[in-house]
Amino acid sequence: MPITADARELQPDLARFRHSMHQEPEIGLDLPRTQEKVLQALDGLPYEITLGKDTTSVTAVLRGSGTPSSADRPAVLLRADMDGLPVQEKTGVEYTSRIDGAMHACGHDLHTAMLTGAATLLAERRHRLAGDVVLMFQPGEEGFDGASYMIREGVLDAPGRRVDAAYGMHVFSALEPHGTICTKPGVMLSSSDGLVVTVLGAGGHGSAPHSAKDPVTAAAEMVTALQVMVTRQFNMFDPVVLSVGVLQAGTKRNVIPETARIEATIRTFSEASRQKMMAAIPQLLRGIASAHGLEVDVEYLEEYPLTITDEDETHTAENVIAGLFGESRLSRWATPLSGSEDFSRVLAEVPGTFVGLSAVPRGTDHATSPFNHSPYASFDDGVLADGAALYAELAVARIAALAAAPASAAS
């Protein structure tokens, strides 16, 4: 049977698995219930399992029937992230989160379900694999840099040698029509950095600001100045996105506070712009503080780098997608998305690519659907079988190509 037909047979089990995860979302690097669910799904399958030391990650290696020597055996990695978000769910689905203040608002429950499905499909095709497959079940993608932990603990070398290629997938609750599969060679997702600013003033009575050092007005000026800087110091064709998400100061309207706090997220689409932001922001904010006779503490937090896909591996993925589902399902993005991913850590180490899959509910307008991270974000179970088939076929096809490459070169 074709792999898509086998995947459709798994669809009910994948939906049940996904619903179970969705009802018990866990946040960060410690996901004990989620890890237990993954291990139960892998139980009885011929995988070599390694658990994370500093996180609740799961690394599963499937040995194919290729050359016994690990030095010569092709290896491909497939990754799924497993963590949820601190969001109060408002979707109203029957399998709504049972954990107050936590939700799988980014679809990681679908990623994990699809990769467990791929685990079964690959195990059934073990005799056809002339190499090894590494399944990377990763916690802590949402701001905890879980990929770095797994890389340090050896996930990329789990088969006994460095993997040859790596593939990740991400579902969306908006952007594209249901079932559309998206690719982009090169820069696909922005880098992500954090900015934490504390303006240090001197408190006083609101009726006498001249006898205090007001950090609030300086902070307000800084918020505006940051936006102006983006439009005046950076090329519009190499965009920068800076959004202030936290602006805090004071306890009462007639009290000038001692400090004001600003927190922002920064997205850049080139390393040059990222480095320029790191230098320009502290200079700007210290200048404003100095003009007001204040001090300022500026923390620029480097988070996730650019997600840069390998052109050849992206072409490989596109060929697999077209072969499984037809070219009508494939969409190549012209521009990057301003979201960020710690799968970028993996792609910085080995060739690979990242694939988007629209899980917009059928009959819903993808242009107006609530996007990932919204408490209303809803993802359609109907894409689970396709995702599992795509994960599995990416590994099957790439390993076959890698195994055939020496013979082709020799001829």
Side-chain angles (χ1 to χ4, degrees):
M1 292 178 66
I3 202 165
T4 50
D6 283 349
R8 284 192 294 271
E9 293 290 325
L10 298 176
Q11 173 69 25
D13 292 336
L14 300 183
R16 281 191 290 271
F17 180 95
R18 185 246 163 159
H19 294 177
S20 175
M21 267 193 70
H22 193 89
Q23 288 177 318
E24 292 189 282
E26 296 176 292
I27 298 168
L29 298 168
D30 187 25
L31 319 176
R33 293 187 300 275
T34 302
Q35 184 188 60
E36 182 180 1
K37 289 178 172 68
V38 170
L39 293 175
Q40 288 173 351
L42 297 177
D43 187 40
L45 298 177
Y47 284 84
E48 300 170 9
I49 306 293
T50 304
L51 304 184
K53 296 176 182 177
D54 295 325
T55 74
T56 51
S57 65
V58 178
T59 299
V61 179
L62 180 68
R63 301 291 182 184
S65 60
T67 306
S69 170
S70 61
D72 301 323
R73 187 195 301 268
V76 169
L77 180 144
L78 306 173
R79 178 268 206 164
D81 40 9
M82 307 187 293
D83 54 321
L85 283 158
V87 173
Q88 186 66 45
E89 183 163 4
K90 297 181 181 179
T91 62
V93 295
E94 61 183 14
Y95 49 89
T96 292
S97 170
R98 296 173 181 169
I99 309 300
D100 190 47
M103 176 188 174
H104 271 294
C106 204
H108 296 186
D109 49 338
L110 283 84
H111 305 163
T112 306
M114 292 187 295
L115 193 56
T116 61
T120 297
L121 296 172
L122 289 165
E124 293 171 348
R125 290 159 174 77
R126 187 181 185 186
H127 63 284
R128 290 173 46 194
L129 291 173
D132 302 331
V133 182
V134 180
L135 306 184
M136 178 181 176
F137 291 95
Q138 180 210 308
E141 188 279 328
E142 295 288 357
F144 294 87
D145 208 359
S148 286
Y149 285 83
M150 294 193 72
I151 291 170
R152 284 196 296 270
E153 292 184 357
V155 68
L156 301 182
D157 302 292
R161 60 179 293 269
R162 181 56 55 105
V163 296
D164 297 287
Y167 301 102
M169 196 181 312
H170 208 298
V171 294
F172 300 112
S173 62
L175 296 181
E176 298 277 357
H178 173 90
T180 303
I181 304 172
C182 314
T183 64
K184 185 185 182 303
V187 177
M188 187 174 187
L189 301 173
S190 69
S191 65
S192 172
D193 293 321
L195 177 66
V196 179
V197 180
T198 304
V199 186
L200 308 170
H205 200 290
S207 67
H210 61 282
S211 64
K213 291 185 177 181
D214 188 355
V216 176
T217 51
E221 185 176 330
M222 289 175 183
V223 171
T224 302
L226 285 168
Q227 301 303 323
V228 173
M229 181 194 73
V230 165
T231 66
R232 292 298 179 267
Q233 295 191 35
F234 291 84
N235 188 332
M236 69 180 72
F237 298 106
D238 184 8
V240 170
V241 178
L242 188 154
S243 295
V244 173
V246 174
L247 183 57
Q248 295 175 336
T251 57
K252 193 172 176 63
R253 65 179 179 272
N254 64 344
V255 176
I256 293 174
E258 290 281 321
T259 63
R261 184 178 179 86
I262 301 166
E263 295 185 28
T265 185
I266 302 162
R267 311 297 169 119
T268 50
F269 295 88
S270 72
E271 188 58 29
S273 285
R274 191 183 194 194
Q275 294 298 322
K276 185 175 179 179
M277 286 292 279
M278 290 180 193
I281 286 176
Q283 181 182 31
L284 174 71
L285 299 184
R286 287 169 185 149
I288 293 171
S290 177
H292 288 271
L294 306 175
E295 299 292 329
V296 64
D297 180 59
V298 182
E299 292 182 81
Y300 194 104
L301 309 173
E302 293 184 62
E303 295 174 345
Y304 296 165
L306 293 160
T307 300
I308 303 175
T309 67
D310 180 83
E311 186 167 354
D312 290 339
E313 296 297 345
T314 301
H315 290 324
T316 294
E318 289 173 339
N319 290 334
V320 169
I321 292 163
L324 288 176
F325 310 114
E327 291 190 5
S328 63
R329 292 274 301 274
L330 180 61
S331 173
R332 176 179 276 206
W333 286 345
T335 58
L337 190 68
S338 56
S340 304
E341 253 284 348
D342 70 351
F343 190 62
S344 57
R345 305 285 192 196
V346 175
L347 295 181
E349 297 287 335
V350 297
T353 196
F354 200 54
V355 175
L357 173 58
S358 175
V360 173
R362 292 183 184 274
T364 301
D365 183 0
H366 64 276
T368 58
S369 297
F371 190 45
N372 297 32
H373 290 213
S374 164
Y376 299 98
S378 185
F379 303 87
D380 195 327
D381 286 338
V383 303
L384 291 171
D386 285 353
L390 179 53
Y391 265 134
E393 187 61 23
L394 283 168
V396 170
R398 193 68 185 99
I399 286 173
L402 288 164
S408 299
S411 63

